[in-house]
Amino acid sequence: MSNTGGRRKPPTIHDVAREAGVSRGTVSRVLNGGHYVSPAAAEAVNAAIRRTGYVVNRHARSLITGRSDSVGFLLTEPQERFFEDPNFNVLLRGCTQALAAHDIPLLLMLAGTDDERRRITRYITAGHVDGVLLVSSHSGDPVAEELRAAGVPLVACGKPIGLGSKVSYVAADDRDGARDMVRHLLGLGRRRIGVVTGPLDTPGGVERLAGYREVLAEAGVEEDERLIVSGDYSRASGEAAAERLLGRAPDVDAVFVASDLMAQGVLAALQRAGRRVPEDVAVGGFDDSPAAVAASPALTTIRQPWDRISAEMVRVLLAQISGEDTAAVILPTELVRRASA
Amino acid sequence: MSNTGGRRKPPTIHDVAREAGVSRGTVSRVLNGGHYVSPAAAEAVNAAIRRTGYVVNRHARSLITGRSDSVGFLLTEPQERFFEDPNFNVLLRGCTQALAAHDIPLLLMLAGTDDERRRITRYITAGHVDGVLLVSSHSGDPVAEELRAAGVPLVACGKPIGLGSKVSYVAADDRDGARDMVRHLLGLGRRRIGVVTGPLDTPGGVERLAGYREVLAEAGVEEDERLIVSGDYSRASGEAAAERLLGRAPDVDAVFVASDLMAQGVLAALQRAGRRVPEDVAVGGFDDSPAAVAASPALTTIRQPWDRISAEMVRVLLAQISGEDTAAVILPTELVRRASA
DNA sequence: TTCTCTACTGTGAACGCTCACAGATGCAGC
DNA sequence: GCTGCATCTGTGAGCGTTCACAGTAGAGAA
């Protein structure tokens, strides 16, 4: 396994220019859009590039342009949670591919420890990436704030809390998704509809609960605080929440659960309590994660458009990098009907 | 959300030199190891760096050194499979963090389409990364071969097939893991031990089967071809394999399954056939994936040291980048006892 | 013809760094 | 004193680009 071969010195723009019989300037112009260059010259340059196998040296380019033509994908804080979330994978993959289409590499940055946080902040503010795709936790995020203050282009996934209103983000329409699900449950004839909320210090948690309330109010079903319990998106918290719910409102005939993982816990608790799903209690989840299909019965749930979210994040970030003003983007969700409701 | 602030021009090595009252050369020396520089000068430079908030411009450095001080994490071919595998996440995270400790960013590269493959190959061979961490599929991989031919430092995760022997890799000891598991099943008094293999065109599949055979031979248990069925690591294939196995060898009293996902399928098939686990049939998995804990009963399985694998991959790659000859690294596995065996 | 305008091309200079080299200083040995 | 050596420092060149600018050629208008 010796490091055989070594790497030969790659051809430079000089070599291409000589080969094509033109000047560096002309080659550079062909490389960057090809304006103000004659068809003959362009053809000669392209042929020379093909022949020599020339690839632009991005370092030299970056040195003078000040751009790095790369962006960071920054995950702050509780990495476990995100890394275990299959949606995170879809997001990461989607962003990587969307960027690849623009020939922009993605740098993965994980800010776990304070040391990593410092290093990453320095790296980014030093201009080593042109912008940052941010997957942040719910709590106020010092890294993100620092980046924002430094004027680094930044797009968050999901509405960030505590970052002021100045940061662009892309998110699924949590509230509308919740509305769809609760409407669906109403459509099944259920009236004692409980809810297991997510953490209420996150926008998602708040919005999903708000959607639930709105639809019940619209339908003239009076709200009952006993039907509202909260969890933290984990399976265990869903199980505990369902037990509380059954204790406080035994006549519950449907539950809207703010995450599929929690819904798994809810199913377990209902089964233990001898309630049949969906006959006695209909259950609706949120996320359309693999957990939704793995559950038995399979979960009726709300799908978030993760592929579109990643594509939009990249689009918005690139727009921001090229100096445009960008706004938040909210994308529609979709109800996925399975057995549990 | 306007792109307010803009980015100020960062300080250069010139600024630091002026601030510290020394020359560029001295600052550069301090930055790169600090040899041949007086303590007084070093102190002055460090103070100036702190005061100015200087961060080295990596592009300028790379332009002259020829190194990029970044490495690629390359995933070729069936992305779905890897992206759904939680171990992949652990691997990716581990590599990112191990590299971060060396201040080396990781570029995520996904070679799905032919177009992406071409682009990535060009990007890498052009020297835009110093080396590549490779997660490849089992089949011969044209990208990897091209990289190897170009002399790009390369470390694969798992033994690559069809890449010649010239590529370094880091892998878990599949054979020894299989041996441990089969020994464990023997220790439980089982003698009619079946095996559900992985795909036999992968090193992992081959090795795990070989381990099974070795232990049975050692123990003097005669081999029975009816006890050997194969799958493709998927849950469904495990279920089908178990049905075949039960048909061919109804007296089976234990099954070593080459992946946890398949083992889930095996459990389902056994339950449907009315066999109790582990009383009638003991089941051993492989991987220690979340599926192992989620299964009921929870799977006894073989844990692969993914955290150590990622750390070793980075170590070996960096060694290779700095010109050392590197060999393959095989890491030990660990038997995790749970309810299924 | 001459002038102007457009389309195109070549040429230095610069980006911020490292590297090789030359020079300076101090100290030991003759 | 001089020489040699080790330690330290500054300087110029150059990495491979892009960019601003100057310059050329040709077409059309006056």
Side-chain angles (χ1 to χ4, degrees):
Chain A
M1 330 236 162
S2 81
N3 192 359
T4 52
R7 305 219 219 169
R8 281 196 322 287
K9 208 167 189 173
T12 75
I13 203 172
H14 261 104
D15 301 323
V16 175
R18 186 162 11 88
E19 182 83 14
V22 298
S23 71
R24 292 167 6 246
T26 302
V27 177
S28 179
R29 274 184 286 267
V30 172
L31 253 35
N32 301 286
H35 290 304
Y36 280 91
V37 43
S38 68
E43 184 41 47
V45 168
N46 282 322
I49 288 176
R50 252 174 279 129
R51 243 174 299 142
T52 53
Y54 169 77
V55 180
V56 58
N57 182 324
R58 297 168 92 108
H59 300 304
R61 172 183 284 174
S62 293
L63 181 56
I64 185 159
T65 61
R67 283 175 284 116
S68 71
D69 291 317
S70 67
V71 321
F73 187 98
L74 174 58
L75 179 60
T76 61
E77 313 237 32
Q79 298 181 16
E80 317 303 335
R81 184 172 135 211
F82 286 104
F83 257 95
E84 274 167 19
D85 185 347
N87 291 322
F88 172 80
N89 282 345
V90 177
L91 186 70
L92 180 56
R93 174 153 45 129
C95 289
T96 307
Q97 288 175 335
L99 285 167
H102 295 268
D103 216 14
I104 297 179
L106 174 148
L107 307 207
L108 185 57
M109 306 174 160
L110 306 179
T113 67
D114 274 349
D115 188 49
E116 284 170 353
R117 243 185 288 285
R118 248 194 315 276
R119 205 198 301 272
I120 289 173
T121 308
R122 254 214 334 247
Y123 189 91
I124 296 174
T125 52
H128 290 319
V129 292
D130 294 339
V132 174
L133 299 165
L134 177 68
V135 179
S136 176
S137 76
H138 44 91
S139 57
D141 188 330
V143 179
E145 271 176 87
E146 203 163 336
L147 296 182
R148 191 63 219 171
V152 177
L154 192 65
V155 175
C157 170
K159 182 172 184 176
I161 288 198
L163 263 184
S165 59
K166 310 210 67 162
V167 51
S168 299
Y169 67 93
V170 177
D173 195 333
D174 287 296
R175 185 181 297 219
D176 202 55
R179 278 196 293 247
D180 277 352
M181 178 58 80
V182 179
R183 272 198 210 102
H184 176 66
L185 296 174
L186 282 171
L188 297 173
R190 314 292 165 129
R191 286 299 174 274
R192 295 292 290 167
I193 303 177
V195 60
V196 179
T197 75
L200 294 178
D201 56 347
T202 70
V206 172
E207 291 285 303
R208 291 172 200 181
L209 176 58
Y212 162 85
R213 287 194 155 124
E214 276 179 29
V215 169
L216 289 191
E218 265 170 41
V221 176
E222 74 171 312
E223 199 172 303
D224 181 346
E225 281 300 328
R226 284 170 303 180
L227 287 168
I228 302 178
V229 292
S230 65
D232 63 5
Y233 287 140
S234 75
R235 196 197 135 108
S237 77
E239 203 161 339
E243 278 165 7
R244 243 175 304 140
L245 182 61
L246 285 171
R248 288 160 56 172
D251 60 337
V252 62
D253 59 6
V255 192
F256 164 48
V257 191
S259 87
D260 287 344
L261 232 49
M262 288 198 295
Q264 277 199 323
V266 170
L267 289 180
L270 288 173
Q271 255 147 14
R272 217 175 26 248
R275 311 286 180 113
R276 290 168 306 160
V277 176
E279 294 84 351
D280 302 332
V281 182
V283 174
F286 209 105
D287 282 345
D288 195 27
S289 67
V293 199
S296 89
L299 281 170
T300 291
T301 188
I302 297 293
R303 173 179 300 156
Q304 303 196 54
W306 288 105
D307 46 347
R308 287 192 58 201
I309 290 177
S310 55
E312 282 297 298
M313 284 178 73
V314 168
R315 192 186 60 73
V316 171
L317 183 63
L318 294 183
Q320 208 176 117
I321 287 173
S322 54
E324 294 173 37
D325 281 4
T326 57
V329 176
I330 311 287
L331 297 169
T333 59
E334 184 193 353
L335 177 71
V336 180
R337 287 169 210 226
R338 296 209 183 85
S340 74
Chain B
M1 329 231 162
S2 79
N3 192 358
T4 51
R7 306 219 218 168
R8 281 196 322 286
K9 208 167 191 174
T12 76
I13 202 173
H14 261 105
D15 302 323
V16 175
R18 186 161 11 86
E19 182 82 13
V22 297
S23 71
R24 292 168 6 248
T26 302
V27 177
S28 179
R29 275 184 285 267
V30 172
L31 252 35
N32 301 284
H35 290 303
Y36 281 91
V37 43
S38 68
E43 185 40 49
V45 168
N46 282 322
I49 288 177
R50 255 174 276 127
R51 244 174 298 143
T52 54
Y54 170 77
V55 180
V56 58
N57 181 324
R58 296 168 92 106
H59 301 304
R61 172 183 284 174
S62 293
L63 182 56
I64 185 158
T65 60
R67 285 175 284 115
S68 71
D69 292 316
S70 67
V71 321
F73 187 98
L74 174 57
L75 178 60
T76 62
E77 313 237 32
Q79 298 181 15
E80 318 302 337
R81 185 172 134 211
F82 286 105
F83 258 96
E84 275 168 18
D85 185 347
N87 290 323
F88 173 79
N89 283 344
V90 177
L91 187 70
L92 180 55
R93 176 157 41 133
C95 289
T96 307
Q97 288 174 336
L99 286 167
H102 294 269
D103 215 14
I104 297 179
L106 174 148
L107 307 206
L108 185 57
M109 307 175 160
L110 306 179
T113 67
D114 275 350
D115 188 50
E116 284 169 352
R117 243 184 289 284
R118 249 194 314 278
R119 204 199 302 272
I120 288 172
T121 309
R122 253 211 337 245
Y123 188 90
I124 296 174
T125 53
H128 290 319
V129 292
D130 293 339
V132 174
L133 299 165
L134 178 67
V135 178
S136 175
S137 76
H138 45 93
S139 57
D141 188 328
V143 179
E145 271 177 86
E146 205 164 335
L147 296 183
R148 191 64 219 169
V152 177
L154 191 65
V155 175
C157 169
K159 182 173 185 176
I161 288 200
L163 263 184
S165 59
K166 310 210 65 162
V167 51
S168 298
Y169 66 93
V170 177
D173 196 333
D174 287 296
R175 185 179 299 217
D176 201 56
R179 277 195 293 245
D180 277 352
M181 178 58 80
V182 178
R183 271 196 211 104
H184 176 65
L185 296 173
L186 282 171
L188 297 173
R190 314 292 164 130
R191 285 301 174 273
R192 296 291 291 163
I193 301 177
V195 59
V196 179
T197 76
L200 293 177
D201 56 346
T202 70
V206 172
E207 291 287 302
R208 292 172 200 180
L209 176 58
Y212 162 86
R213 287 194 154 123
E214 278 179 26
V215 170
L216 290 192
E218 266 170 41
V221 176
E222 75 171 313
E223 200 173 304
D224 181 346
E225 282 298 326
R226 285 170 304 183
L227 286 169
I228 301 177
V229 292
S230 65
D232 61 7
Y233 286 139
S234 74
R235 194 197 136 108
S237 79
E239 201 161 340
E243 277 164 8
R244 243 176 305 138
L245 182 62
L246 285 171
R248 289 160 57 173
D251 60 336
V252 63
D253 60 5
V255 192
F256 163 49
V257 191
S259 87
D260 287 344
L261 231 48
M262 288 199 297
Q264 276 200 322
V266 169
L267 289 180
L270 288 172
Q271 252 145 16
R272 219 178 22 249
R275 311 285 182 112
R276 289 168 306 160
V277 176
E279 293 84 351
D280 302 332
V281 182
V283 174
F286 209 103
D287 283 345
D288 195 27
S289 67
V293 201
S296 90
L299 282 169
T300 290
T301 187
I302 297 293
R303 174 179 300 158
Q304 303 196 55
W306 288 106
D307 45 348
R308 287 193 57 199
I309 290 177
S310 53
E312 280 298 298
M313 284 179 74
V314 167
R315 191 186 61 73
V316 172
L317 183 63
L318 295 183
Q320 209 176 115
I321 288 173
S322 53
E324 295 172 36
D325 282 4
T326 57
V329 176
I330 311 286
L331 297 170
T333 59
E334 184 193 352
L335 177 71
V336 181
R337 287 169 210 226
R338 296 208 183 85
S340 73

